[in-house]
Amino acid sequence: MGSLLKDRRAVALLLAATLTVMSNAIISPGLPGIATYFAATPNADLLTRLLITAPSLTVAVIAPFAGLLVDRVGRKAMLITGAALFGLAGSAGLWAPSLHVLLATRLVLGVSVALLMTAMTALVAQYFHGPERGRFMGLQMTFINFGGLIFIAVAGQLANHSSFYPFALYLAGLVYLPILYLCLDEPKSHSHEDGSHPTAQGQDGWPVVLGLGLALMALTFSTFYILPTQIAFYLGELGHTDPSTAAFMMVCVTFAAGAIAMVYPRLRATLGRGGVLGAGFVMLAAGFLLMSYVQLVPMIAAASLLVGMGPGLIVPTLLNSVLDAVPMRHHGMASGALTFSLFIGQFISPILTQPLISTGGFHLAFMVFAAAALVGAGLAVAIFRERTSGFARA
């Protein structure tokens, strides 16, 4: 890991990765206050929850096109454009005069995230190869989640003063611009496609690996995102109305994901890809199962820790597995597809959750999503591991 932190390209990409965790969850602590402020707006409860996942819809629409464009317009240029738009659109919540305008700015924010994530994934695929890429992705998850821990903790404190102050944190996208410009370089368009790297030509049956990876990514985030979209409301129902309490739960989530990512390479070597994926989904299920039965803040925090560990294992495993399998000439397309899958899962999460909450309360919603995560664990172990056995140690 130390050698990666000496690489200016790696450092720049790690900083850019911290932006992605802010795209949605950073405003979670202020959601009840925003809902109250715009209470006169029709359907304010649902629209307020959609503020978190609205960027995901735009990402899902834009990402496939961004994946096709990244190989043509350049990875570095796309990343810098995404960071600039992130800062401008994200911070627009400071001045948006209505809930509908605020929702529109969140959709624009999604465009920036699609550019950022697609360009980042494609740059990682060309800068790093084999075991080094696996180490970088583990480190990237650590930066994403510990960066998210800091940003969300600060957001919780800002939300105590105004529900809209957390939007100021999106200005970090503008702060990072000089670093990204100076530290990154544009890879040659046909770099490493001469077969000198194992991943240059891809693996047999790579479309199957890609399809399974996309399905599991969508399942992961449609399940996981019940926490940032609903935790503040769940805590309020239990009488814990302080925004900092909701922020604390999100801090638990990001801390757990960052901590588990630090030991990801060791777990990966011990359990294999299918085993790591299965463990991640089991942790998601255990977290929601526990949360469905507890009401005390310490126990909810423990459940949040379990939920956070899931994506910390699942995401780097899926990304690395797909990039290893897909031929390098298709990495842009694969990056866009993975980004689409991740964010469409986020977007549909409240749409799936809200009817469950209306029907049977939070208990029913948590139980259903726990069951869905267990299905994901079974698929990962029984199918994904078998399909990728030929490069399980890559």
Side-chain angles (χ1 to χ4, degrees):
M1 296 284 184
S3 61
L4 286 171
L5 293 177
K6 296 177 182 179
D7 186 333
R8 60 183 174 81
R9 303 173 306 173
V11 172
L13 288 174
L14 290 171
L15 287 176
T18 64
L19 296 177
T20 61
V21 74
M22 286 197 291
S23 62
N24 293 16
I26 199 72
I27 65 170
S28 181
L31 280 187
I34 295 173
T36 300
Y37 186 85
F38 292 117
T41 303
N43 300 313
D45 284 344
L46 177 59
L47 292 177
T48 302
R49 287 167 170 82
L50 287 177
L51 291 177
I52 286 190
T53 58
S56 305
L57 175 62
T58 319
V59 173
V61 173
I62 298 296
F65 300 101
L68 296 173
L69 285 174
V70 70
D71 295 323
R72 294 173 172 81
V73 304
R75 292 148 172 77
K76 179 179 177 179
M78 183 174 284
L79 186 68
I80 289 175
T81 302
L85 187 58
F86 182 93
L88 295 173
S91 62
L94 294 171
W95 53 260
S98 70
L99 184 54
H100 292 102
V101 171
L102 181 55
L103 190 59
T105 66
R106 302 292 291 174
L107 292 171
V108 176
L109 177 67
V111 176
S112 72
V113 176
L115 301 181
L116 277 170
M117 292 196 67
T118 302
M120 274 194 301
T121 306
L123 282 170
V124 169
Q126 290 210 314
Y127 285 162
F128 311 107
H129 301 88
E132 186 182 38
R133 184 192 295 153
R135 290 192 297 271
F136 177 84
M137 287 184 171
L139 187 61
Q140 184 182 55
M141 285 302 298
T142 301
F143 264 70
I144 287 174
N145 290 290
F146 283 130
L149 187 154
I150 295 170
F151 283 124
I152 293 171
V154 173
Q157 295 303 312
L158 292 175
N160 282 330
H161 300 282
S162 169
S163 298
F164 295 92
Y165 283 176
F167 288 97
L169 294 174
Y170 289 96
L171 293 170
L174 301 180
V175 175
Y176 288 171
L177 282 178
I179 300 173
L180 300 178
Y181 180 78
L182 294 173
C183 294
L184 296 175
D185 54 73
E186 183 66 41
K188 293 180 180 179
S189 59
H190 298 289
S191 173
H192 305 307
E193 289 198 24
D194 58 358
S196 59
H197 292 277
T199 59
Q201 303 302 323
Q203 305 290 332
D204 292 338
W206 65 263
V208 174
V209 176
L210 176 61
L212 291 170
L214 297 179
L216 290 177
M217 188 74 84
L219 176 61
T220 300
F221 282 89
S222 61
T223 303
F224 168 74
Y225 249 71
I226 190 175
L227 222 64
T229 56
Q230 303 291 348
I231 191 64
F233 298 96
Y234 177 57
L235 289 169
E237 186 177 278
L238 298 178
H240 310 298
T241 56
D242 188 343
S244 61
T245 305
F248 175 66
M249 298 307 162
M250 295 308 302
V251 165
C252 289
V253 169
T254 53
F255 172 79
I260 200 73
M262 293 180 70
V263 297
Y264 166 76
R266 188 173 301 173
L267 291 174
R268 168 72 183 78
T270 302
L271 300 177
R273 296 191 179 185
V276 171
L277 286 172
F281 281 111
V282 167
M283 288 177 179
L284 270 177
F288 283 118
L289 185 63
L290 176 61
M291 194 170 292
S292 68
Y293 287 104
V294 300
Q295 297 186 357
L296 298 177
V297 168
M299 296 304 294
I300 298 173
S304 298
L305 288 170
L306 284 170
V307 170
M309 290 181 188
L313 294 179
I314 295 169
V315 173
T317 307
L318 287 179
L319 288 174
N320 204 30
S321 299
V322 171
L323 290 176
D324 278 350
V326 175
M328 191 164 290
R329 65 184 180 276
H330 295 309
H331 275 176
M333 176 274 295
S335 301
L338 285 166
T339 304
F340 165 84
S341 186
L342 188 158
F343 281 93
I344 199 65
Q346 291 181 11
F347 179 75
I348 65 174
S349 182
I351 297 174
L352 297 174
T353 307
Q354 206 61 31
L356 293 172
I357 294 173
S358 299
T359 301
F362 285 97
H363 174 78
L364 175 63
F366 291 150
M367 292 296 289
V368 169
F369 277 78
L374 287 176
V375 171
L379 289 173
V381 174
I383 303 177
F384 199 92
R385 187 177 187 178
E386 176 185 349
R387 295 288 187 179
T388 60
S389 59
F391 51 98
R393 297 292 178 188

